[in-house]
Amino acid sequence: MNEEFIKKTGRYWLYLPCRSVELTKMNVVNPLNDKFMKKNRTCGLSDDIGLLKMIKLIRFTIFILLLSLSQTFAINPFLISSSKPEIIKEAVTQAQKAVSGKVTDSSGAPLTGVTVVIKGTTIGIITDSDGKYSLSNVPPGAILVFSFVGMKAQEVVVAGKTNLSVVLEEETVGVDEVVIVAYGTQKKVTVTGAVSSLVAKELKQSPSANFVGAMAGRLPGLITVQNSGQPGAEGINIYLRGVSTTNGQNPLILIDGVPRDNITTIDPNEVASVSILKDASSTAVFGVRGANGVILITTKRGTTETPQINVTAEYGLQDFTRRNFQGVDSWDFARLRNEALANNGLPPEFSPESIEKYKSGVDRFMYPNTNWFKLLVRPSPLTRYNVNVSGGTDRVKYFMNAGFTHQGGMFNTEPKSKLGYDPQFKMDRYNFRTNLDININSWIKSSVNLAGYIEKTNAPNSQDNSGNPDWIVTGIFRSPPTMPGPLTIDGYGVPAGEVISSPINDVPSYGQLNRTGFRNTESSNLQSSVAFDFDLSSITKGLTSKAMVSFDSRSNSITKAYHNYIRYRYSLIQVADPVTGEMKDQLTFTPNTTPQFYPLQLSKTTSFTYAINMQWAINYARTFNNKHQVTGMILAQRDNNEAVSGSSDLLLPYNVLGVAARATYGYDNRYLLEFNAGYNGSEQFQRDRRFGFFPAASLGWVISNEQFMKAQKIVTNLKLRASYGKVGNDELGDARFLYLDNLSVSSGGGFSPSLGIGKYINENLIGNPMITWETAYKQNYGLEMTLFKDLTFTGDLFFEDRKDILITRATVPALQGLPLGTVPKANMGEVTNKGFELELVYKKRVNKDLSFFVSGNYNFNQNTVKNIDEPPYDDTYAYQYQRTGYSLSQQWGKKIDWESLGKGYYTSKEEINNSGLTFTGVQPRPGDFVYKDLNGDKIIDVKDNAPIEYGIVPRVTYGVNLSVSYKGFDFSALIQGVAQTSRYYSSYGINEPFFDGNFSEYHRTAWTIERYEAGEKITYPALSTVASYSTTQNDFFIMDRSYTRLKNAEIGYTLPQHLSKRIGIRKMRVYTNGQNIFLWDKLLTKNYDPEQSNALSIPILRVFNLGVNIVF
Amino acid sequence: MKNKLLIILLAFCGVTSCQNVLDIAPSGRMSLDEIFTDDATTSAYLNSCYLNFPKWANFNSTSTNMRIALTDDAWDWYGNPAVPSNKMYIGSATSTNPILENEDNRNDNTDDVMGFWNKCWQNIRRCNVFLSRVATAKVTLESDRNRWTAEAKALRAFYNFELIIRYGGMPIVTSPLGLDYDYKQLKRESFKACVDNIIKDCNEALATPEFPWRISAGNEAYRFTKAIAAAIKSSAILFAASDLWNGGQNHWAEAETNTKKSLDDCLANGYELYNKVNNPSIFQSAYQEYFCSVTDWSATPVDKETILASTYANNDWIQFHGLPIQVAYKSGLCPSQELVDAYGMQASGQPILKLDKPYLDEAHLQPNYNPGSGYNPVNPYVGRDPRFYATIYYNGARRKNSAGVLTDIQTYYGGNCGINVNVRARTITGYYSKKYDHPSATISARIAATYRIMRLAELYLNYAEAANENGNLAGAIAAVNVVRTRAGMPNINPASKDEARLLIHNERRVELAYEENRYFDLRRWTKPDADLSATDRYLTGMWIIKTGNALDYKRFSIGDSWNTATGSWSNTATPRACYTNKYLIWPIQLVESRRLEAASGKKWQNPGW
């Protein structure tokens, strides 16, 4: 075969070295190719040249793959051919006619904006305001495709007609919907596992700079906790159905079928759908990695046959959800400080004259009233631009996306002109993606995905060259309103323009922000995958196979420029006037010479990591006698990847190997049976204990398809399903190879240089060869019901028993001499988890102008520790177990006696003395909490601790989603919330200032004898200057973190078709939306967003956005 | 067609084959067996038996030498209830908040959380692992093997000793406990049984010819020696015979024999008291010079007294136990009036108070003077034991200030180092500590001094105490007098065992002041059902009021301050809460006692915790 031959025939050949290959034209004529040729193909010759290259590549790959095999086995040649150019000519030469008609909905109302396309071409048109269309040059045998959002697409054969009017039916919820499941798709009606999903449109309503923020509240069973608002470092935790282990608790995330972790950086515009797999049936195929559930993200692919160019531009302003740290004014600060001193029997710090001066504002430098939050924080822009193009022909379909996100910093920084560099927090991210689908021939389809991002973040270097922004937020909390600044001014004997620090806090926010240099992080990530789908129906009908290789790489570079600065400590003291002898306030500054100033020092670290994933699957799907639906899948997978950072063992590449299988049987769309299994190995375990088998079975009964249901029109869909199975979790924390001993020789630092050449032996770990994965036994029961085609209810009830959790032995005494971290862990833990998810969706198209959609979900999970190897407390404790029998992360503390004489507070010294109680350590004062003596030993101590409220992971999550569209207007809103979660709060912004910091709003009405006697409301125990009897873990400071948010809302307006057409575009929509708009919570102090677990990190953001979306 | 299927199936298998991908790549891990196949790694393992070796003298801006702060010798003050010493004073210690254990881990400050218990048991295990394998390990020289074996035994004895004097009798663990060890067998042994085991280890180490008496090469500095083994033996038996630990038995005969043997062996092997002032222009006495010096390692050392030195030659004393004229960060440990009262008169050799009942009242405000001592309460700092001048800064003592100018220290109210109970840098007792403060040091040019953990004088005093209790009055007096002679004090000559006991106890207090011995001495002298109220509960200081040139010395309860205007005390003093008998023995951390109780089915916690 030569090039000549190829050009001549228009066919490309794949051939293999085999016995007796005779490449004549005759070879082409085999059943496969015949059928292929019958298909109408449109493909220009130039396409073929590109294809030629690609086919060469594929051919080479397959050639190599099969070469060795062919030597051993007798393999006949097979041929691959592209389309035949002659056919195109044939089609064009046929007689063409004009076709026109009207499109209406079932009520007879004309539908505007329906796309009418000649199938297999890019020729198409959109119906006008009367629902009319007209197409010229339609071949008589052509097929017209009518599609419209919310309606079932229809294909109509022209068959020589010139007038075609069509009635489009509304899409019924849940019937034809397809759901992405593990390694494939299933019709929603046949799914028997617990799977929830959402589609692109909903995600795009949330103007969150990261993708996870857009998912919150929309998927029943998904819990997201965002810890910080720092651009590019939001610290998000994701849980599916809560937690049920002490080890790795996060779900497995796959993007386009490959385990990938860039879930926060993915561009929402690229995402077609998100599925979460919750029960054993849907996750068993992931075997040893599936126990915490799986999130599947699928990106968009070219679907429409008319090319579509989609341009979106958004400009937003971002701000913190908590607009102020709620500090008090300087005069109130002074008054409250004196009150705290008085409570502890100490003389006042501020004289009435000074307080008056703070109030009058006579000298705002000496007697300031600085709101450090307002001084340092400002709203900042969030801009996003996105262009994507999708379209395709029968041969090639494409989706291309380019996105840019800029997130500005929220702090007032000094200008670059002054510093020479920019310390601002900010992030720029460029996302791109190209997804191609190529039909190579009748039985091979190839998909190529190429995606990536480049992200640049900038931040001040902050304290100790650490890049930790907590210092800045902490500094705001720690600066009292009486502190002058932020910079020195003339007239105090020190240079002007230098950073002022407080006598206690040496790391003032202003300096940390502006004078510590910068830290620039650039990360780039490339994700590529190539997949081939083989249609093997020639072997047997319904058989397909798929091979995929993906290669991801990530590089990261951090440029640090660090310098330090001299701070000037202020002190305001009273001195005697030399002339009059009168006491006066004096403000002085002392240079704090450590740390020394030094100029910028540059350093840089870079890293590169990769991940390779290989998959090969065989799928089978066939329906026999129109009644028996059978599908099967077997998939082999191999992973090889590197960790980003770490030391020692963590530097070694990670490997995963496994086989997954699925078999389903459906009878008449009524009875569904599914079997899933994963058999895979983890390198975490000893050689002969490495592979595990994880089976799951599920059943479904579609009652609505039964004969006796056909008659009624109320229940349009009713399905029951149940699943049971086991799944594994090999996430053992950061540690690897726990089955092996790990001793190493230190690199020095031994006690004596005369022994062991100055080295010593590190006993890092004694291996436990019996170590294995933890196993989750999961049950799931589900009910799906649709009434009147509009109202859908889905309910799931689940029970999970997580066994063999690898835990650190808690009953091995330290006395045996191995540090407890070195004692081998054991598979002893057991945690159960149970709960339910309820989802209600009501979707109604009232008429052609008005349609609306309401959905709500309410989810509950509760885990209980069954065994964590906890040694009991003796019977002098109020509670003998403090973990076993309680939720993971259950909070413990003292119970306040809210029924006491002073309703929770001691009212006098006498009451304390007469209580008959003994107190260990810090003694109570009047105004401190009255704790209950729960064990009855008349001593208030640790033995009285009791479980208080809940754990850290919310038990309840819920979301309500509403969208309405009326003519060109659309409105949507999402309310999201969590409940039954609590946490112990302490430190700045919670407690009164002990050594530094500011008072919060609720300290204003702290307990005083006057306030108590007057019967006024008391919101805080008696203020103190040091940690008091009250400031411990108790049911005041263990606060309820429940919240409800207006997570986002959006109003949009789409230009009428006739107007947008006039300016030459297909569609134009302008909108405004917001993220984290309102927050209702129960925290006693309003200084933090309840979602943040680290109170001193950068708060969570609120965003208001304006945007325009144009489709060409 | 079939072949097509076959190919795909085979490729499928290709992806799944290859189990080896899951095997670990080499990463430098070793197993325990591999360690003992080589000289270097075997001795490296012995090196790890010294891991986290106590450094003593653990103090910084917040923590302090707890075993000085928690005796009647000193009061640490910061005025902040979050500071460990203050937490102890207010009685915050519980088995879940074992302040002592965390503070007294005596390691560098970076490793505070680990706790003393864990540290001792870890090193006992390492010694056990080493001893169970050294006999068969590949070691080139037999002499190395013998020395290392002896060294590991001495180390094991040391860790066991440090453990039992804090927590009481413990299980005797002489081989590493396997992962499948049945803790049901585990039980607490008597204190004496533990001491017997310690002595056995020491004797075996002492019988090894290759184990040296003294380290004479710098690169072997701080390694264990026979002298250390001898000193452990001496102390261990003394503790076992003492009231707190003897379990009603009399072990004094054994104690006398062992303490004498240890003392004699050390003397026979070149150990002697530091007797000579090498730098008379700076130091008044050998005793003073000794504590401001750094241990040297040579065959002919200047310091032949030190048996075990802390690896931590600390130069921070001046900052954290310093003087206002040095602009110190805090006054730190302020010597109590009780300690000052313990120093006798040099001329008469007599204690200034009657040792059997030094104070007439509970609060120690009324001293019971010893009439023949020659002490003058209105000129109290004259003619005292020379060790007083080496240990304590008092009103009228002199020292270079931060500018290097020799200055009078004024501890009177309003003086340059004047008493003030509210200011961190000022004394709260009227005294400052001096023992490790090199007279030439300033806060900006600090001079390190070695903290001595075991020294020969202690062996004399151990023997004196044991001999006296065993009825050998003459032997006891002779030993005490050797120590007093070095200090420049006249001999004592008590007539009875009881009188001698008081003198010997007082001598220990004075000679070993600020060396962290008294914490354990006070406890071991106390019967298990008694408490420390006589010594630890009420402490006093000296408030000096200067009027013109006249000084008015007022004894007062620490924490009070004198209001000159009203002529009255503020009555803000709070007695210490940590004197009750549960404070005689440390608690086992709750988490550990729960583990032990669950694993062994027995009670482990010490009384009162």
Side-chain angles (χ1 to χ4, degrees), chain B residues 460-482:
Chain B
Y460 276 110
L461 295 170
N462 286 357
Y463 167 65
E465 188 177 336
N468 182 54
E469 298 296 341
N470 197 36
N472 178 1
L473 187 60
I477 292 170
V480 172
N481 284 339
V482 175

Side-chain angles (χ1 to χ4, degrees), chain B residues 191-210:
Chain B
F191 192 89
K192 180 64 169 50
C194 295
V195 165
D196 287 346
N197 178 56
I198 289 165
I199 291 174
K200 180 171 168 281
D201 270 343
C202 291
N203 284 340
E204 283 171 22
L206 284 162
T208 307
E210 290 88 350

